[in-house]
Amino acid sequence: MNIRLISQSVFTQPLPAVVVFAFHKERPAVPASLKPLLQRLTGKEFDGSDKQLLLLHTGGKAGIRAARLLLVGLGKRAEFNLEKLRRATGNTVKRLNALGLDRAAIQLNPDTPETLHAVVEAAILAGYKFTEFKAENHSGNPKTLMISTKLALPAAKQILQNAQVVAESVNYTRAIADLPGNIVYPAELAGRAQKLADEFNLTCQIFDKAALERDGFGGLLAVGGGSSREPQLIVLEYNGGPVDQKPVAVVGKAITFDSGGISIKPSDKMDEMKFDKSGGCAVLGIMRAAALLKLPVNLIGVIAAAENMPSSTSYRPGDIVTSYKGTDKRGITIEVLNTDAEGRVVLGDAIVYARQRGVQTIVDFATLTGACVVALGDFAAGLFSNDDALSEKIRAAGERTGERCWPLPLWPEYRDKIKSDVADHKNTGGRYGGAITAAAFLERYAGQTQWAHVDIAGTAWATDERPYFAKGATGFGVRLMIDLLNQPK
Ligand code: BES
Ligand code: MN
Ligand code: ZN
């Protein structure tokens, strides 16, 4: 999608459509030449209610430069927020596409830096659809969207560019996360990370199976052991901050397919577990956006990639696995009770690796538990942290970006649920509080380092179409993390 800014005086050239956002029971602020169109409009036809869309033909009378006027309701002004605007924008873009209109102008309302960012972002996100393997390929249909604003042009251009980078990085994440397990397996993901690094001047280090064995990444090796597609630890670095500033680590779970392993999942809906790499894909998108935005931070991305499969080389229930120890005296040992609780096992290695790199903060993204989906549905990610201030910052970033996160507790009682008779801890804590016992497992690996865990099991995939997301991967985590990194320390 091609997005351009135009100044308020606008509409000097004929356009297929002008889009005007309107609040509930307020007169839509249409360009002067279109005002006559509203004269006979009744409140029953259009009153600015949330989700309302009304298409009017202008009749092409003299002085009217747009062939159509699309009125889009935003609901009550007092209840306005950026998420409502993103959804209205998504519905608008979908309608324009359905009408086959390749050009339109949106009159920005309200007209602020934040709303400009939101409209651009939502328009680009709404334009993505996973069509790579479909005969009728819809994605090659570039649309020109003009956004009219009163904002000073240089500043508005910067906002446009930033929003484009973030949204395109989300779509980049989605385009990988949408791919199935036969196409994206750990080495393929590593190859894509290397390509990203080459393109944006990032450092990329890949630990293949031999390197993982050499350095003792016992968790990743155990989980990946059942597949002929070998596990990989992918480490990306972006250095945009002062040399003496400790980096932030973003860690991602990338199980390219989660069959459950020996504790195999039911075959019904097992296909959905191709999305189990979404955390790792988000890390790639975050690194891409940070580099393009030239964020003044140091960032390390760590992706634990493995395929969880049943075979004679799989890890088994009852196994005792030793996690990566780095320079610690010994690695944390795990009694494996369920091979399907594999995410925490690979993340343990990745978190210890990040900690050993001397980072300030670790944030991990993982499609970790079905229990998190039971608790929060697909409306919010589960948020866990050993630091209340960090947790609150992430929650606030979620509120701003629409990638909502909701805090859940990490009381010591949950830790007791994963005590093991034979190892340091076990990888399941029973049915109750499953999202929390999984987080309590990870907490041990973070040690004293400031850490947060975001369980994206419910938010990484849209099972139904949403206003600005087609069905499929959502790229959850990219907008959230970039917003967080943009906040003053
Ligand atoms: N990748 C799944 C989590 C998941 C399950 C996400 C369903 C979305 C929907 C994870 O590896 C898993 O299998 N977790 C188990 C843990 C259990 C065995 C303790 C789960 O949630 O059932
Ligand atoms: Mn699993
Ligand atoms: Zn999994």
Side-chain angles (χ1 to χ4, degrees):
M1 179 166 328
N2 175 13
I3 303 186
R4 296 203 331 251
L5 294 171
I6 45 181
S7 63
Q8 272 277 308
S9 50
V10 237
F11 319 124
T12 48
Q13 45 171 322
L15 275 170
V18 168
V19 180
V20 172
F21 293 128
F23 285 110
H24 183 61
K25 295 210 163 135
E26 294 182 24
R27 245 189 119 65
V30 302
S33 62
L34 296 177
K35 284 226 164 89
L37 273 179
L38 301 184
Q39 262 163 21
R40 275 168 305 212
L41 193 67
T42 70
K44 288 209 172 89
E45 288 167 304
F46 183 83
D47 68 356
S49 298
D50 200 11
K51 303 189 189 75
Q52 203 177 25
L53 271 84
L54 181 69
L55 183 74
L56 297 170
H57 280 261
T58 64
K61 289 192 198 89
I64 297 179
R65 294 294 190 161
R68 297 169 193 81
L69 171 64
L70 182 61
L71 295 174
V72 180
L74 290 176
K76 295 196 176 92
R77 189 182 282 272
E79 291 165 11
F80 177 76
N81 59 43
L82 292 177
E83 183 60 11
K84 282 196 178 156
L85 184 61
R86 283 185 209 104
R87 291 178 188 181
T89 304
N91 290 331
T92 299
V93 168
K94 280 195 279 190
R95 177 67 67 89
L96 293 172
N97 284 347
L99 292 168
L101 302 178
D102 60 349
R103 275 184 328 132
I106 294 186
Q107 189 163 279
L108 191 62
N109 175 35
D111 195 354
T112 70
E114 291 76 22
T115 57
L116 176 58
H117 187 104
V119 166
V120 171
E121 185 179 274
I124 295 172
L125 294 176
Y128 170 86
K129 205 172 165 200
F130 177 53
T131 55
E132 210 180 314
F133 296 88
K134 294 276 287 178
E136 62 295 6
N137 194 320
H138 303 285
S139 63
N141 195 7
K143 296 273 185 301
T144 300
L145 201 61
M146 283 164 267
I147 301 179
S148 96
T149 173
K150 281 185 209 142
L151 298 171
L153 221 45
K157 268 197 179 137
Q158 193 60 56
I159 293 163
L160 168 67
Q161 267 180 28
N162 288 354
Q164 276 174 320
V165 165
V166 175
E168 278 159 13
S169 297
V170 176
N171 287 350
Y172 161 82
T173 292
R174 296 162 82 190
I176 302 174
D178 270 325
L179 294 168
N182 63 324
I183 294 167
V184 172
Y185 43 90
E188 169 66 23
L189 198 63
R192 285 174 187 248
Q194 183 66 63
K195 192 165 160 245
L196 183 77
D198 295 344
E199 196 173 343
F200 298 111
N201 221 355
L202 305 167
T203 316
C204 180
Q205 191 185 357
I206 290 158
F207 294 74
D208 62 7
K209 190 175 178 207
L212 295 173
E213 280 168 350
R214 179 195 67 208
D215 294 346
F217 285 87
L220 196 49
L221 286 164
V223 171
S227 174
S228 60
R229 266 108 188 234
E230 296 179 349
Q232 313 273 325
L233 186 83
I234 303 162
V235 183
L236 289 164
E237 274 173 72
Y238 162 73
N239 290 306
V243 258
D244 58 348
Q245 195 177 85
K246 284 187 176 179
V248 170
V250 263
V251 173
K253 167 180 173 181
I255 300 300
T256 55
F257 183 67
D258 181 13
S259 69
I262 297 298
S263 314
I264 199 161
K265 288 179 182 294
S267 56
D268 187 40
K269 293 194 181 172
M270 196 197 269
D271 61 291
E272 291 180 357
M273 284 302 133
K274 65 185 174 185
F275 98 127
D276 214 18
K277 60 189 179 301
S278 298
C281 297
V283 169
L284 292 178
I286 292 162
M287 299 305 294
R288 180 188 189 274
L292 274 169
L293 295 170
K294 300 193 165 61
L295 292 187
V297 295
N298 298 323
L299 208 52
I300 301 185
V302 183
I303 300 168
E307 186 178 44
N308 190 19
M309 294 294 258
S311 79
S312 72
T313 55
S314 295
Y315 77 141
R316 358 164 154 58
D319 281 4
I320 299 173
V321 169
T322 304
S323 304
Y324 176 63
K325 74 173 167 63
T327 59
D328 289 347
K329 247 204 222 92
R330 60 188 286 281
I332 295 166
T333 58
I334 306 164
E335 181 187 10
V336 177
L337 287 185
N338 189 321
T339 62
D340 196 12
E342 84 297 337
R344 63 199 78 181
V345 178
V346 301
L347 284 172
D349 280 4
I351 291 170
V352 170
Y353 176 83
R355 173 160 62 75
Q356 299 257 332
R357 294 292 308 265
V359 300
Q360 174 72 43
T361 305
I362 300 172
V363 181
D364 79 68
F365 292 93
T367 50
L368 203 62
T369 65
C372 187
V373 193
V374 173
L376 298 169
D378 55 9
F379 305 111
L383 174 60
F384 307 84
S385 182
N386 57 10
D387 185 304
D388 287 344
L390 175 63
S391 175
E392 175 48 29
K393 279 186 192 160
I394 294 175
R395 196 204 58 77
E399 204 60 52
R400 281 190 295 269
T401 56
E403 295 195 325
R404 285 190 296 208
C405 301
W406 199 253
L408 291 165
L410 272 179
W411 295 313
E413 285 84 345
Y414 295 105
R415 237 174 276 155
D416 297 342
K417 302 289 281 183
I418 49 171
K419 277 189 175 152
S420 163
D421 293 334
V422 297
D424 294 336
H425 57 185
K426 57 188 183 188
N427 78 334
T428 57
R431 241 161 64 78
Y432 297 158
I436 313 182
T437 49
F441 180 97
L442 298 181
E443 187 182 18
R444 184 161 184 161
Y445 295 84
Q448 298 307 304
T449 304
Q450 185 187 54
W451 155 84
H453 157 58
V454 187
D455 191 334
I456 59 171
T459 57
W461 196 265
T463 39
D464 298 301
E465 188 177 317
R466 297 183 193 167
Y468 60 97
F469 281 118
K471 281 186 192 180
T474 62
F476 191 102
V478 178
R479 289 185 289 150
L480 178 78
M481 198 64 208
I482 295 302
D483 181 283
L484 183 72
L485 292 169
N486 265 319
Q487 298 310 310
K489 279 261 152 52

